[in-house]
Amino acid sequence: MDFLKSAIGSAIAKGGGLPFSLGEKVDFGDSIWALHNGTKRDDGSACSVFVFNIDTHRSRLPLAKNAMHKSRTLRHPGVIKVLDTIENEHTLYIITERVAPLSWPVKRRSLNEETAKWGLHTVANTLKFVNNDAQSVHGAVRASSVFISESGEWKLGGFDILSSMKEEDAIIYTYGSVVPDSGRYTPPEVVKGGWDTIKRNPLTAVDSYGLAILIFEVFNGNFSGGDQVGRTTNIPPSMQQSYKRLCTANPKLRLSAGHFVEQGKKHGGFFQTPLIRMTEDIDSLGLKSDAEREQFINELDDLPEEFPEAFFKMKVLPELLKSVEFGGGGPKVLSATLKIGVKLSPDEFNAKMTPVIVRLFGNPDRALRVCLLDNLPLMIDSLPQKVVNDKIFPQMTSGFTDVAPVVREQTVKAIIPIITKLNDRITNGELLKFLARTANDEQPGIRTNTTICLGRIAKNLGQSTRSKVLIAAFTRSIRDPFEHARAAGLLALAATIDLFTEDDCAGKILPAICPSLLDKEKLIRDQANKTFDVYVKRIRKSAATMPDTVIPLHARAEPPSRPGPQAETPGDHSWAGWAISSFTNKIATTSGPIEPTNSGKPTDPETVRPASAPRPTQSSPPVELHKQALRPTAQPLNRSHSDRPPGAYHDESEEEEDDVFDAWGAMDDDETETDPFTDAVESQQISSPALSSRKAPQKPYDDGDELDFAGWLAAKSQTKGNKPLPKGLTKAKSTNTVTTRSTATTAKPRTVVVPKKIDTKPKEEVDDDWGDAWD
């Protein structure tokens, strides 16, 4: 039976069957306890475990049992929170909240003055409770008895000899000297008269002396002995006088911990710090008025960065979230909440902040919505992508159509930080539709910010929608009446040049930029020149890599015998001679009958006669035929489907544009003016009776790219009363035949007979007004 008990005790001592698992050991100085980091088995939360080995320290067992009992019964915010205690034959366990020894930062001297005052204020208040309310004496106040919780707060522990003065056999009287390293920290009156002198002196005297030693350790890092007590080295000047009164040699004159707090809380006292004031007000934040709440937030914003972040995460943040969601804290409290929330780890943020943020986006308060949108860059990295797409963005969309301009504008601005979290369906669908609305907003600032937003998110758009949407949006923006919107459009085009093809740059973007070169505002002109230069430079660079021609070698024409026309100075008229000589060369080589064009039918063979045959008696039809054949006809601009080249294939599916593109419109959808050139051609076609009854030939007397001067001069001579052509331009043969192309692409060449004109006037009479034919 003894063997079984020993085995069970040994297993329990090693951690078997305990509600926690022991982790690494934490060193915190001389103590009867060993401190371990632990984890609770039921929920996996972190904890600390104080372990006392009975077999090793049996002589100090009464101290361990006293600490276990006092820890369970003493409840105060400044005391370590005890979760459980376990006792067996070999070991005592005290399971507490996760804490770390204060001696670590004290030895490293890593505590700043504000944090040190805040911690000392907590310890002094706790000692005030122990002395005044619990009527007890701690007896071992020092740095090794103070711990730092996960929230950064200082917690009082080390209750080995904590005793109530109402007890006749208090443990402090018997075991006060058994505490490790008690010789350095014992008050001088106890050194002289023993622990029984506590009964003859004020109850607070021993702990006041220990508080003075703690102050010295916090600001100096180490305490070697009684000769250092009372020194003011590194202690803040405002605290030095009260500190000296804590450690005076006469116990009856010592300042109690309660009075020390009162001295520090006076106007301008050493405990009048923003951090201490915030700590006292945070618990009652939900009960404060709007003015008091605003004052609290102002103090919170004024806090420097070196204050303990853990305290804000564990204590301040939960209270702020309650105030925002249920206490009507408003945007200012929300802003302070988000500044603290961004310091959380991703897991902590998702657990504490994400659910609240999602609920706040559904709040109809516009002030809260604007505050959320303003602070979105701070928290977007911590928000999961699924939450953004499924919960936050659907709530944001109402801001695009809100009646308040500030909400619409902030919603547009918020797209830039959130774009990386949106999926492709939302980015290239819903988002572009909403931005198309704000691009036409009545507020010029919203239109400008929409253009800037599109420029910033251009790389996130899909390749199938990027070019169409951006070109339509930016070219429309540079026609905006608001000068800053035009400037934004030009800047956006310059910033996104790499996203467009060379064809788009030359055919769509550059023509849209050109009007801005003569904008009434110098700001726009300067930016237009910069953007124009960027695009021209890219186009020239691309053109330098293109081949000289794409015509195959076997399809190229014979090289001319002499150089072609060159650009000349305005005073040089050699181009006219080139045109006439080319035309006369063409006339000399033409042959074959000319086909009449007054009808679309082929010429009757009976109408064709040789040059020696007599002229028909009816002369009006040939004259009319001659006029119809020589009249130049304008090429119609609008061709039917039968006139289109066979290679131009038209896919009807291309006409079904996506709703996104319909929302943005075409690049020139704002221009409603009619092309005057098109109107002139259409009116000429309608007014001509000869053209209205038949289909016009495509290019009568077409000679490639050269002008048909012969046909034009002949027609002109008919309109001048049948005047002869100028000398040197008369036809040499009685009948010339010119081959023309038919209007239909599949028709064969047709010929027209040109009647010979006999000059019956005397040769000596020369018409000297031949130049009228050029009119």
Side-chain angles (χ1 to χ4, degrees):
M1 182 62 68
D2 294 338
F3 172 78
L4 181 61
K5 290 181 179 180
S6 176
I8 294 175
S10 177
I12 293 177
K14 294 180 180 179
L18 296 175
F20 58 86
S21 59
L22 285 178
E24 68 278 7
K25 184 177 181 181
V26 179
D27 181 20
F28 69 106
D30 293 336
S31 176
I32 65 174
W33 297 92
L35 177 61
H36 292 262
N37 290 330
T39 304
K40 295 179 65 177
R41 296 184 185 276
D42 53 355
D43 58 1
S45 59
C47 64
S48 292
V49 182
F50 290 86
V51 182
F52 178 80
N53 192 323
I54 298 176
D55 298 333
T56 305
H57 304 286
R58 186 171 294 274
S59 61
R60 296 176 177 177
L61 181 60
L63 298 177
K65 289 188 174 183
N66 182 73
M68 179 181 292
H69 173 69
K70 297 299 182 180
S71 298
R72 289 197 304 260
T73 57
L74 193 64
R75 299 291 181 179
H76 187 269
V79 173
I80 296 179
K81 182 180 180 180
V82 176
L83 305 178
D84 196 5
T85 58
I86 299 175
E87 179 179 0
N88 56 52
E89 295 181 357
H90 302 278
T91 313
L92 301 180
Y93 300 98
I94 303 177
I95 301 96
T96 69
E97 59 180 322
R98 175 63 64 89
V99 293
L102 177 65
S103 56
W104 287 2
V106 165
K107 291 179 180 179
R108 294 194 301 265
R109 302 187 64 177
S110 60
L111 296 171
N112 60 75
E113 182 177 331
E114 294 298 322
T115 303
K117 289 181 178 179
W118 174 59
L120 291 173
H121 176 264
T122 302
V123 174
N125 271 321
T126 306
L127 287 177
K128 176 184 176 181
F129 165 78
V130 172
N131 295 153
N132 298 341
D133 298 337
Q135 290 293 304
S136 300
V137 176
H138 187 280
V141 180
R142 61 192 73 171
S144 59
S145 299
V146 181
F147 300 85
I148 302 176
S149 68
E150 288 184 303
S151 62
E153 297 174 281
W154 291 15
K155 303 284 187 173
L156 184 61
F159 300 140
D160 297 346
I161 57 175
L162 176 65
S163 304
S164 173
M165 293 297 99
K166 297 179 181 179
E167 301 175 358
E168 291 296 331
D169 57 345
I171 193 173
I172 192 172
Y173 301 136
T174 308
Y175 291 92
S177 300
V178 182
V179 176
D181 206 11
S182 61
R184 284 192 298 159
Y185 299 96
T186 304
E189 68 274 10
V190 174
V191 174
K192 294 180 180 179
W195 289 98
D196 290 337
T197 58
I198 297 176
K199 301 177 181 179
R200 299 188 294 271
N201 293 315
L203 181 145
T204 61
V206 175
D207 290 339
S208 296
Y209 189 85
L211 179 60
I213 295 176
L214 176 63
I215 293 173
F216 185 87
E217 287 181 302
V218 166
F219 289 107
N220 291 277
N222 190 20
F223 178 75
S224 59
D227 58 338
Q228 291 182 330
V229 177
R231 294 183 182 180
T232 59
T233 307
N234 297 326
I235 296 177
S238 59
M239 189 184 292
Q240 291 179 2
Q241 185 176 359
S242 299
Y243 159 74
K244 289 181 179 180
R245 293 187 60 187
L246 285 173
C247 57
T248 184
N250 189 348
K252 299 184 183 299
L253 299 178
R254 288 175 190 162
L255 194 67
S256 66
H259 287 99
F260 179 74
V261 173
E262 292 178 2
Q263 291 288 335
K265 296 293 291 183
K266 289 182 179 180
H267 181 70
F270 48 85
F271 283 154
Q272 286 291 328
T273 65
L275 185 58
I276 294 175
R277 287 195 298 267
M278 185 196 64
T279 305
E280 295 176 343
D281 295 340
I282 190 63
D283 294 333
S284 59
L285 181 61
L287 304 177
K288 292 183 179 296
S289 63
D290 293 341
E292 292 174 338
R293 188 184 294 115
E294 184 175 358
Q295 182 181 0
F296 172 80
I297 297 301
N298 291 334
E299 292 179 352
L300 186 62
D301 292 339
D302 294 337
L303 291 178
E305 294 293 333
E306 64 267 12
F307 286 156
E309 294 182 2
F311 177 73
F312 289 101
K313 296 177 182 178
M314 302 293 294
K315 289 294 183 179
V316 179
L317 183 60
E319 297 298 329
L320 291 177
L321 290 175
K322 293 178 184 177
S323 177
V324 170
E325 196 169 5
F326 307 110
K332 204 155 191 179
V333 178
L334 176 61
S335 180
T337 303
L338 295 176
K339 288 180 181 179
I340 299 174
V342 296
K343 299 179 181 180
L344 300 174
S345 64
D347 294 337
E348 293 174 336
F349 191 93
N350 290 331
K352 298 180 180 180
M353 296 291 297
T354 300
V356 179
I357 292 173
V358 172
R359 291 194 294 268
L360 289 177
F361 264 106
N363 195 306
D365 188 356
R366 288 191 175 93
L368 281 177
R369 171 63 63 87
V370 172
C371 184
L372 283 170
L373 296 175
D374 285 341
N375 290 276
L376 198 57
L378 298 177
M379 55 184 175
I380 190 62
D381 292 336
S382 302
L383 291 172
Q385 184 175 8
K386 183 175 179 58
V387 173
V388 174
N389 285 276
D390 297 344
K391 297 180 179 180
I392 292 181
F393 183 77
Q395 299 286 353
M396 285 179 57
T397 55
S398 62
F400 290 106
T401 57
D402 196 272
V403 296
V406 64
V407 178
R408 300 199 302 271
E409 185 172 9
Q410 293 301 325
T411 304
V412 172
K413 291 181 180 179
I415 295 302
I416 296 175
I418 205 177
I419 189 66
T420 56
K421 294 285 185 175
L422 298 179
N423 56 37
D424 293 339
R425 179 185 61 83
I426 294 178
T427 301
N428 299 289
E430 298 178 49
L431 177 60
L432 291 181
K433 292 180 182 179
F434 285 116
L435 290 179
R437 292 176 61 96
T438 56
N440 295 280
D441 197 275
E442 61 181 6
Q443 297 292 329
I446 296 178
R447 299 197 301 269
T448 304
N449 286 328
T450 301
T451 303
I452 296 173
C453 176
L454 283 170
R456 296 281 298 275
I457 69 173
K459 295 183 178 179
N460 299 97
L461 300 179
Q463 293 183 356
S464 59
T465 61
R466 180 189 298 163
S467 178
K468 295 181 180 179
V469 170
L470 294 183
I471 293 177
F474 295 159
T475 54
R476 178 183 297 176
S477 180
I478 61 179
R479 301 193 303 270
D480 196 287
F482 187 52
E483 61 272 13
H484 295 290
R486 300 198 298 274
L490 292 169
L491 287 169
L493 284 173
T496 57
I497 185 173
D498 295 334
L499 305 180
F500 306 120
T501 63
E502 285 78 7
D503 292 338
D504 287 339
C505 293
K508 298 180 180 179
I509 298 178
L510 272 179
I513 295 175
C514 287
S516 299
L517 298 173
L518 294 177
D519 195 275
K520 295 180 180 180
E521 299 292 334
K522 185 177 184 301
L523 170 67
I524 308 303
R525 295 195 300 271
D526 293 343
Q527 185 57 48
N529 277 283
K530 295 178 182 178
T531 306
F532 185 86
D533 293 341
V534 171
Y535 276 86
V536 169
K537 182 178 180 180
R538 180 184 175 184
I539 292 172
R540 288 175 176 171
K541 182 178 180 181
S542 177
T545 62
M546 299 175 65
D548 294 342
T549 181
V550 294
I551 302 175
L553 291 175
H554 61 81
R556 297 182 185 178
E558 292 296 331
S561 59
R562 56 182 178 178
Q566 302 294 329
E568 301 292 344
T569 59
D572 191 351
H573 300 285
S574 61
W575 63 272
W578 168 82
I580 294 175
S581 63
S582 176
F583 131 72
T584 53
N585 291 336
K586 294 293 183 180
I587 291 295
T589 60
T590 56
S591 62
I594 298 177
E595 181 181 2
T597 58
N598 60 339
S599 64
K601 300 178 182 180
T603 306
D604 189 3
E606 295 181 357
T607 62
V608 180
R609 65 177 182 85
S612 61
R615 183 183 299 277
T617 57
Q618 296 179 355
S619 60
S620 53
V623 173
E624 180 66 18
L625 181 64
H626 178 71
K627 292 182 179 180
Q628 295 286 346
L630 297 181
R631 180 183 296 115
T633 305
Q635 173 67 22
L637 297 181
N638 299 324
R639 296 185 296 176
S640 62
H641 287 280
S642 61
D643 295 332
R644 294 181 179 174
Y649 173 73
H650 180 67
D651 189 1
E652 295 181 357
S653 62
E654 295 179 357
E655 297 179 359
E656 299 178 358
E657 293 292 337
D658 190 77
D659 292 341
V660 174
F661 305 143
D662 293 339
W664 285 98
M667 188 180 76
D668 56 352
D669 57 356
D670 291 341
E671 298 181 3
T672 58
E673 296 182 2
T674 308
D675 189 357
F677 176 75
T678 305
D679 292 344
V681 173
E682 291 177 355
S683 63
Q684 181 181 0
Q685 293 176 349
I686 295 173
S687 62
S688 176
L691 296 179
S692 61
S693 61
R694 63 181 175 82
K695 192 172 184 179
Q698 185 171 358
K699 285 187 179 180
Y701 303 102
D702 190 5
D703 193 18
D705 294 334
E706 297 182 355
L707 298 176
D708 187 4
F709 285 90
W712 180 73
L713 290 175
K716 193 71 174 178
S717 65
Q718 293 291 337
T719 61
K720 290 290 184 176
N722 297 327
K723 291 181 180 181
L725 292 175
K727 194 171 184 178
L729 295 181
T730 57
K731 303 274 193 305
K733 296 181 182 181
S734 61
T735 304
N736 287 337
T737 59
V738 180
T739 303
T740 61
R741 285 195 289 265
S742 174
T743 55
T745 57
T746 59
K748 297 181 179 179
R750 293 177 292 184
T751 60
V752 178
V753 177
V754 181
K756 179 179 180 182
K757 185 167 182 66
I758 301 174
D759 188 6
T760 59
K761 293 183 180 181
K763 296 298 183 179
E764 63 272 13
E765 295 180 3
V766 179
D767 190 0
D768 57 357
D769 58 344
W770 68 274
D772 295 338
W774 294 90
D775 294 338

